[in-house]
Amino acid sequence: MAISTLSPTAYFSSFSPSNDSLISSSPFKPFKLPTLWPWQKVKMGPLTVSPMGFGTWAWGNQLLWGYQESMDSDLQRTFNLAVENGINLFDTADSYGTGRLNGQSEKLLGKFIREFQGQKQIQDNIVIATKFAAYPWRLTPGQFVNACKSSLDRMQLEQIGIGQLHWSTANYAPLQELALWDGLVAMYEKGLVRAVGVSNYGPKQLVKIHDYLKARGVPLCSAQVQFSLLSKGEDQIEIKNICGSLGIRLISYSPLGLGMLTGKYTPSKLPRGPRALLFRQILPGLEPLLNSLREIAQKRRKTIPQVAINWCICQGTIPIPGVKTVKQVEENLGALGWRLSSDELLQLEDAARESPGKMIQNIFQTR
């Protein structure tokens, strides 16, 4: 079964935070609205996606997220609720899943799509964005294409929405980088993916791959980076600006800082597992930011995560918070349908600057 999207009837081309490109899912002529709901869509290359997607890193990851196969029925309910409420973008990777569960996230997504009981049109409009790891043994374009075919086999799909290069090898294996780029071109030309994107690319490498792909007749659809109130340094802002100028959609992963921006944790109340080490370092310096998030949430009758995700949307990005429970889907959906005011945005950004705690940047992100 091919996963595709409907051709849009009209859309706005601006990528600025105050004028997101919207597509109404109703039969009536679309018009600009001040807020975003899941059933309104944004343009991402040739695709039409919800203004927020969901990440599936936890699906199969035992080490960091405590996944057990007994959770699969709950994950399926989580997926169904998201799709029924207008979310059609799901991010995954061929490396998601630990040990023998490698690739489990893709397998589960494919299974949940096939078994979805709702309208077929909704099912067909689901967009899977998967990432292909730049493993050291993937040295040729053909090997990268085979990685894409393996993902298609795991998900039992005919075509992937967005095929993404998970990280750049420019820092440590520059010769491999060009082969991976050629692999993206090949999977696009073979029709294995509808669009291509990158992940963890810094500003300089992002411009390079955009220009390289453009010369080969392949548009760069998306760039995925860690972007949140905890991760908005000079590189991230430059990446966002480059995306805006080149027509690339910025996908914000970890919009809640692995959970540090949920308000659920304190220096004396840490999550289980490896995250506790990171939280112990950063949380003590987040008090100004968390206080501002809490204040705005109370005023808005929202939750802290909803405010933090809405901030990402107001920056013109598509956030992909991770979900593994129905409760998380319900809460994250509350980030849509409203927008922070300009004063609230300034308050949060001032608080972020005042907070000494900052997210550690992904070691794979290039300059």
Side-chain angles (χ1 to χ4, degrees):
M1 177 186 65
I3 298 303
S4 60
T5 59
L6 295 178
S7 299
T9 56
Y11 65 92
F12 293 86
S13 60
S14 171
F15 283 78
S16 68
S18 60
N19 188 27
D20 290 292
S21 51
L22 298 184
I23 298 169
S24 172
S25 60
S26 76
F28 303 104
K29 183 178 180 181
F31 58 97
K32 182 71 175 69
L33 296 173
T35 56
L36 288 166
W37 296 85
W39 52 86
Q40 292 165 346
K41 306 301 179 192
V42 299
K43 282 291 292 176
M44 186 155 60
L47 304 167
T48 306
V49 300
S50 45
M52 173 179 68
F54 285 141
T56 62
W57 181 18
W59 300 13
N61 190 301
Q62 295 175 316
L63 178 65
L64 198 63
W65 301 106
Y67 168 81
Q68 299 295 329
E69 290 175 87
S70 59
M71 298 176 177
D72 288 357
S73 57
D74 287 337
L75 291 176
Q76 187 159 19
R77 283 190 287 271
T78 298
F79 172 86
N80 289 343
L81 180 65
V83 173
E84 288 162 0
N85 281 275
I87 301 297
N88 77 327
L89 175 64
F90 294 87
D91 181 79
T92 184
D94 64 358
S95 60
Y96 285 179
T98 50
R100 65 178 181 83
L101 295 171
N102 192 53
Q104 182 75 349
S105 175
E106 288 185 335
K107 290 176 183 176
L108 289 174
L109 269 175
K111 176 178 183 289
F112 297 163
I113 291 169
R114 291 192 304 276
E115 296 179 359
F116 180 69
Q117 298 297 311
Q119 297 177 21
K120 190 176 187 307
Q121 182 181 7
I122 295 175
Q123 184 185 48
D124 288 344
N125 287 343
I126 294 170
V127 174
I128 300 299
T130 196
K131 300 181 289 295
F132 310 116
Y135 291 135
W137 53 86
R138 290 176 176 170
L139 296 172
T140 67
Q143 288 171 323
F144 213 49
V145 169
N146 287 339
C148 178
K149 290 178 178 178
S150 294
S151 289
L152 286 166
D153 288 343
R154 275 189 292 272
M155 292 186 280
Q156 296 183 37
L157 301 179
E158 295 173 8
Q159 190 179 49
I160 289 165
I162 310 172
Q164 305 165 99
L165 176 51
H166 204 155
W167 65 83
S168 168
T169 65
N171 288 345
Y172 61 93
L175 295 179
Q176 183 186 10
E177 180 94 336
L178 188 58
L180 299 178
W181 291 2
D182 286 339
L184 285 177
V185 171
M187 64 181 70
Y188 179 83
E189 290 178 343
K190 291 175 182 292
L192 302 178
V193 300
R194 290 200 62 195
V196 300
V198 293
S199 179
N200 297 310
Y201 265 62
K204 289 183 178 178
Q205 283 300 108
L206 180 59
V207 172
K208 285 180 183 178
I209 189 171
H210 168 271
D211 292 348
Y212 184 85
L213 293 176
K214 184 178 179 181
R216 299 288 301 275
V218 179
L220 183 60
C221 165
S222 62
Q224 184 177 148
V225 294
Q226 185 172 251
F227 191 85
S228 71
L229 281 161
L230 264 183
S231 183
K232 53 185 290 291
E234 290 182 7
D235 278 3
Q236 309 310 86
I237 298 303
E238 188 177 353
I239 291 165
K240 184 171 82 73
N241 292 338
I242 289 169
C243 285
S245 66
L246 296 179
I248 303 166
R249 270 291 177 185
L250 183 65
I251 299 175
S252 304
Y253 75 75
S254 294
L256 298 176
L258 297 179
M260 279 183 278
L261 295 182
T262 63
K264 298 173 184 176
Y265 302 105
T266 68
S268 59
K269 182 186 176 185
L270 300 170
R272 296 177 182 175
R275 282 190 299 159
L277 300 173
L278 183 65
F279 281 40
R280 190 175 288 112
Q281 294 176 32
I282 298 175
L283 273 176
L286 289 187
E287 191 171 344
L289 178 55
L290 289 172
N291 285 342
S292 286
L293 284 166
R294 192 173 292 109
E295 178 186 330
I296 292 171
Q298 289 173 350
K299 190 191 309 179
R300 287 277 190 168
R301 295 185 178 180
K302 296 291 181 180
T303 66
I304 290 175
Q306 288 167 353
V307 175
I309 293 170
N310 192 272
W311 178 86
C312 291
I313 293 171
C314 288
Q315 306 308 306
T317 78
I318 299 178
I320 49 168
V323 292
K324 57 179 182 176
T325 67
V326 165
K327 183 178 179 181
Q328 288 173 338
V329 170
E330 291 172 341
E331 181 169 24
N332 291 343
L333 286 170
L336 300 175
W338 60 284
R339 294 182 77 88
L340 290 161
S341 69
S342 57
D343 287 344
E344 289 168 333
L345 290 170
L346 285 173
Q347 178 184 342
L348 288 172
E349 285 156 21
D350 287 343
R353 279 190 291 270
E354 292 171 12
S355 299
K358 296 291 184 291
M359 192 66 174
I360 295 172
Q361 196 53 260
N362 193 310
I363 60 171
F364 286 110
Q365 181 170 311
T366 57
R367 176 72 185 107

